[in-house]
């Protein structure tokens, strides 16, 4: 571990403590959260926020290390074995507590119990696992998948199974890219659905799973997909919306067609022929939507949101990245399956190709289109991917609308629009009369663009650590350049421009 990496600020995998607290519960939550996630380290001897290295007295090192080891092994269940060592930085000694990703999830603080004592790590903060996350950890600890679990109070009809097999085969044929691929599509059988986990068999009876409910659109599954168009680069001016309530395989096609309706179409000459082309690669749009639907966490409430702005297409899905998956690994083709039954069904229907190949292909297509590289953001339990449009084209970049469809905004969306417009009225100039450093300028620039952003979102957008963001937003407030309006959870930032 490099010394410089210790001073880069708190993040998803790093936490600072100025000293070793006498009450071990003050850091045990983070120990549990790291074990439930991708692992991490707690660095004792660095002041959070200021990043000042205060160190641990030499005379206390070994006593404190023994106390930390005993506290971790005694307080957590299943048992967590910590790795502790001392490192010298700027002539002072630090205690580094390393926690590896656990294989027996969920981990929790024994004193609090499983429900109240399970914690997870989000961006640079530790928070209690809610019911959905706790259930996801329990399934992961048993190497099981949510979509393969039996769904209560749903019966299987032979006619429904036959209709599903037929419709999935027709979808596969429709999505085949060649006659050879179309000819290779085999008849779909009940046994195949059982092998994928779409159906379960017990004592000669077929039992439906959540995947079956989503493919047949029963029992409230899948959740609707929310599509919307906004006039500018933020959500201030709402133009159009559509909710797609259908079987999950139809949601892919309908959401895909919605985006194609709204983006611009240009043309290029292919010899003596004129070829119409969309401003975004259609295959990438389809792949992005299909992957969002097959990989989202269905234990989390909420809907997949597909939003078209003047500068980008934004696809947000609940659940964030799975353990061990990072945006960098995604770009290299690394993939983990969250919903195995759905993944098998989507692969059969030619809605997704070989697992792991999707995002590298999106990167290649955007590069061929001359577009900016797509952006992957993992924040606050959600995963967002942005495909960027060409904003310097001579064609009109205002998203198209089709008001003849069911586009009537709901009351809560209208309220959100008004709130966002109110936030934007606080920004009345561009030159600050106080001296700012580069980090502060970057933070203010992003907040001006998105006043309702969280500190975690600001950290991701500016490539700064969460600890650095907390420190500089506090400084900006002290300088009178920034003000927090409303509550911590439901408020927004107001930039005070002089």
């Amino acid at each position: 571990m490099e010394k410089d990496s210790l001073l880069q600020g708190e993040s998803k995998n790093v936490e600072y403590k100025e000293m070793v607290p006498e009450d071990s519960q003050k850091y045990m939550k983070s120990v549990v959260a790291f074990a439930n996630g991708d692992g991490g380290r707690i660095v004792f001897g660095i002041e959070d926020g200021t990043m000042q290295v205060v160190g641990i007295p030499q005379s206390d090192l070994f006593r404190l290390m023994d106390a930390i080891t005993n506290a971790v092994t005694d307080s957590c269940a299943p048992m967590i074995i910590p790795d502790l060592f001392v490192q010298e930085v700027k002539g002072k000694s630090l205690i580094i507590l390393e926690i590896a990703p656990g294989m027996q999830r969920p981990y929790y603080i024994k004193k609090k119990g499983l429900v109240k004592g399970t914690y997870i790590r989000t961006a640079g903060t530790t928070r209690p696992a809610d019911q959905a996350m706790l259930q996801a950890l329990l399934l992961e600890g048993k190497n099981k998948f949510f979509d393969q679990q039996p769904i209560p109070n749903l019966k299987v009809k032979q006619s429904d199974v036959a209709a599903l097999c037929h419709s999935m085969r027709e979808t596969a044929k429709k999505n085949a890219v060649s006659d050879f691929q179309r000819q290779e599509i085999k008849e779909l059988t009940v046994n195949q659905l059982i092998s994928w986990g779409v159906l379960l068999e017990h004592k000669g009876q077929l039992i439906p799973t959540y995947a079956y409910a989503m493919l047949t659109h029963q029992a409230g599954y899948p959740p609707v997909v929310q599509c919307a168009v906004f006039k500018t680069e933020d959500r201030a001016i709402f133009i159009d919306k559509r909710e797609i309530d259908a079987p999950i395989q139809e949601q892919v096609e309908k959401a895909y067609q919605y985006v194609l309706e709204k983006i611009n179409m240009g043309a290029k000459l292919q010899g003596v022929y004129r070829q119409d082309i969309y401003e975004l690669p259609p295959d990438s749009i389809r792949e992005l939507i299909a992957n969002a639907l097959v990989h989202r966490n269905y234990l989390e409430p909420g809907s997949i949101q597909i939003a078209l702005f003047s500068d980008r297409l934004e696809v947000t899905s609940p659940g964030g990245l799975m353990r061990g998956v990072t945006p960098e690994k995604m770009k290299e083709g690394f993939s983990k399956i969250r919903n195995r039954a759905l993944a098998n069904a989507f692969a059969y229907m030619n809605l997704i190709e070989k697992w792991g190949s999707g995002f590298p292909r999106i990167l290649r297509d955007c590069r061929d289109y001359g577009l900016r590289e797509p952006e992957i953001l993992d924040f606050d339990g959600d995963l967002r991917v942005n495909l960027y449009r060409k904003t310097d084209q001579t064609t009109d970049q205002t998203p198209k609308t089709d008001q003849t469809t069911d586009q009537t905004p709901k009351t809560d969306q209208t309220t959100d629009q008004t709130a966002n417009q109110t936030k934007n009225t606080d920004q009345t100039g561009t030159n600050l009369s106080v001296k700012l450093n580069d980090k502060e300028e970057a933070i203010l620039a992003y907040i001006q663009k998105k006043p309702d952003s969280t500190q975690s979102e600001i950290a991701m957008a500016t490539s700064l650590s969460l600890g650095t963001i907390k420190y500089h937003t506090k400084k900006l407030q002290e300088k009178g350049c920034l003000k927090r309006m409303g509550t911590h959870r439901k408020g927004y930032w107001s930039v005070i421009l002089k």
Side-chain angles (χ1 to χ4, degrees):
M1 180 173 56
E2 299 292 333
K3 293 181 181 180
D4 291 344
S5 67
L6 292 176
L7 304 177
Q8 291 180 354
E10 284 194 343
S11 66
K12 185 177 181 180
N13 305 102
V14 179
E15 183 170 292
Y16 298 130
K17 297 290 182 185
E18 183 177 352
M19 60 186 69
V20 179
E22 291 186 11
D23 182 5
S24 63
Q25 297 298 309
K26 292 184 178 180
Y27 61 89
M28 208 57 60
K29 296 177 182 178
S30 294
V31 169
V32 164
F34 287 144
N36 282 326
D38 295 326
R41 66 174 70 103
I42 301 176
V43 183
F44 298 97
I46 295 181
E47 188 178 71
D48 181 28
T50 66
M51 310 300 297
Q52 181 180 354
V53 179
V54 296
I56 303 295
Q58 285 282 336
S59 58
D60 294 334
L61 282 176
F62 295 109
R63 176 182 63 82
L64 291 174
M65 290 174 71
D66 286 342
I68 293 170
T69 301
N70 292 334
V72 172
T73 55
D74 293 345
S75 301
C76 306
M79 182 181 289
I80 297 173
I81 306 299
D83 182 17
L84 277 95
F85 56 93
V86 176
Q87 184 163 328
E88 187 174 296
V89 175
K90 296 183 178 181
K92 297 181 180 179
S93 297
L94 306 177
I95 295 177
I96 315 296
L97 169 59
E98 290 270 9
I99 302 297
M103 302 301 293
Q104 297 176 282
R105 300 174 172 200
Y107 292 86
Y108 60 94
I109 299 174
K110 289 191 288 186
K111 189 176 181 180
K112 292 178 174 287
L114 177 65
V115 175
K116 294 184 178 181
T118 302
Y119 292 85
I120 60 170
R121 192 79 172 167
T122 301
T125 60
T126 297
R127 64 179 178 87
D130 57 22
Q131 185 176 0
M133 178 54 67
L134 181 58
Q135 190 174 352
L137 289 170
L138 285 165
L139 287 172
E140 189 176 349
K142 297 177 182 178
N143 197 28
K144 293 183 177 180
F145 301 88
F146 167 76
D147 65 334
Q148 293 179 334
Q149 302 306 302
I151 183 169
N153 305 318
L154 183 62
K155 303 296 183 182
V156 176
K157 297 179 181 179
Q158 291 293 341
S159 58
D160 288 344
V161 174
L164 175 62
C165 289
H166 175 75
S167 68
M168 288 178 65
R169 188 163 188 259
E170 291 303 308
T171 301
K173 290 179 179 180
K174 178 183 176 182
N175 293 326
V177 296
S178 66
D179 290 338
F180 175 78
Q181 187 182 32
R182 193 172 293 107
Q183 292 169 3
E184 288 293 303
I185 298 170
K186 298 178 181 179
E187 291 282 352
L188 192 56
T189 65
V190 173
N191 287 336
Q192 188 66 66
L193 295 179
I194 292 172
S195 71
W196 291 344
V198 174
L199 290 171
L200 303 176
E201 189 175 28
H202 181 67
K203 295 181 179 180
Q205 296 292 319
L206 292 177
I207 300 172
T209 65
Y210 285 93
Y212 177 83
M214 285 187 260
L215 290 164
T216 57
H217 197 208
Q218 298 187 70
Y221 282 93
V224 298
V225 173
Q226 297 176 334
C227 302
V229 180
F230 299 91
K231 187 174 180 60
T232 60
E233 295 180 8
D234 56 33
R235 298 175 186 265
I237 304 177
F238 170 85
I239 295 178
D240 190 35
K241 73 98 183 178
R242 186 179 302 170
E243 287 192 347
I244 301 173
D245 190 13
I248 190 169
Q249 63 272 35
E250 292 182 22
Q251 286 184 332
V252 176
E253 184 63 26
K254 291 181 178 180
Y256 170 65
Q257 291 299 331
Y258 178 86
V259 175
L260 293 187
E261 289 173 12
K262 307 305 177 186
I263 62 176
N264 298 308
M265 180 180 286
K268 70 176 181 179
L269 291 177
Q270 190 78 21
V272 296
Y273 298 100
R274 181 182 186 274
Q275 182 184 5
D276 292 331
I277 57 171
Y278 289 101
E279 60 170 308
L280 295 173
D283 288 346
S284 294
I285 298 171
R286 188 190 195 93
E287 184 81 30
L288 195 57
I289 294 170
N291 274 287
L293 281 160
V294 79
H295 291 305
R296 70 154 283 180
N297 185 353
Y298 285 98
L299 286 165
E300 293 285 350
S303 297
I304 289 173
Q305 294 184 338
I306 301 172
L308 186 66
F309 298 89
S310 62
D311 67 331
R312 70 193 184 279
L313 172 66
E314 185 180 276
V315 179
T316 307
S317 53
L321 291 173
M322 294 184 69
R323 180 169 64 95
V325 182
T326 64
E328 292 72 26
K329 288 182 178 180
M330 280 182 64
K331 293 177 182 179
E332 294 172 359
F334 182 81
S335 178
K336 290 182 75 173
I337 304 301
R338 179 175 264 134
N339 301 294
R340 186 172 292 277
L342 290 176
N344 279 300
F346 271 44
Y348 171 83
M349 291 184 287
N350 295 313
L351 291 171
I352 58 174
E353 293 190 21
K354 184 180 178 182
W355 296 342
S357 66
F359 210 84
R361 190 166 54 255
I362 292 173
L363 290 174
R364 183 192 65 225
D365 289 348
C366 289
R367 199 160 45 240
D368 292 343
Y369 261 62
L371 301 173
R372 172 181 166 184
E373 182 177 287
E375 186 176 27
I376 306 172
L377 301 173
D378 184 20
F379 64 96
D380 289 344
D382 290 334
L383 176 65
R384 177 173 294 166
V385 180
N386 294 327
L387 292 187
Y388 284 94
R389 312 168 76 180
K390 280 187 177 179
T391 55
D392 59 346
Q393 292 176 338
T394 56
T395 54
D396 181 12
Q397 291 298 323
T398 302
K400 296 182 288 183
T401 60
D402 182 4
Q403 299 295 346
T404 61
T405 54
D406 179 20
Q407 310 299 334
T408 305
K410 292 183 178 179
T411 304
D412 57 346
Q413 289 170 315
T414 305
T415 304
D416 289 342
Q417 175 185 340
T418 305
N420 280 325
Q421 289 173 331
T422 303
K423 296 172 191 176
N424 289 338
T425 60
D426 291 319
Q427 302 171 10
T428 58
T430 55
N431 296 317
L432 289 168
S433 61
V434 295
K435 186 175 180 180
L436 304 176
N437 59 37
D438 292 342
K439 293 178 180 178
E440 291 169 338
E441 288 180 355
I443 292 168
L444 284 182
Y446 183 76
I447 289 175
Q448 281 185 273
K449 183 177 179 181
K450 191 175 180 185
D452 59 350
S453 57
T454 65
Q455 289 182 320
S456 297
E457 290 175 333
I458 300 170
M460 291 180 183
T462 58
S463 298
L464 298 173
S465 70
L466 184 62
T468 301
I469 296 299
K470 290 179 178 178
Y471 174 72
H472 286 293
T473 51
K474 182 180 178 182
K475 288 295 182 183
L476 285 167
Q477 290 178 80
E478 292 174 355
K479 291 179 180 181
C481 303
L482 190 64
K483 189 175 181 181
R484 184 68 184 175
M485 311 296 290
T487 65
H488 176 69
R489 290 183 176 274
K490 296 184 179 180
Y492 62 93
W493 299 102
S494 174
V495 178
I496 303 169
L497 299 162
K498 303 175 182 178

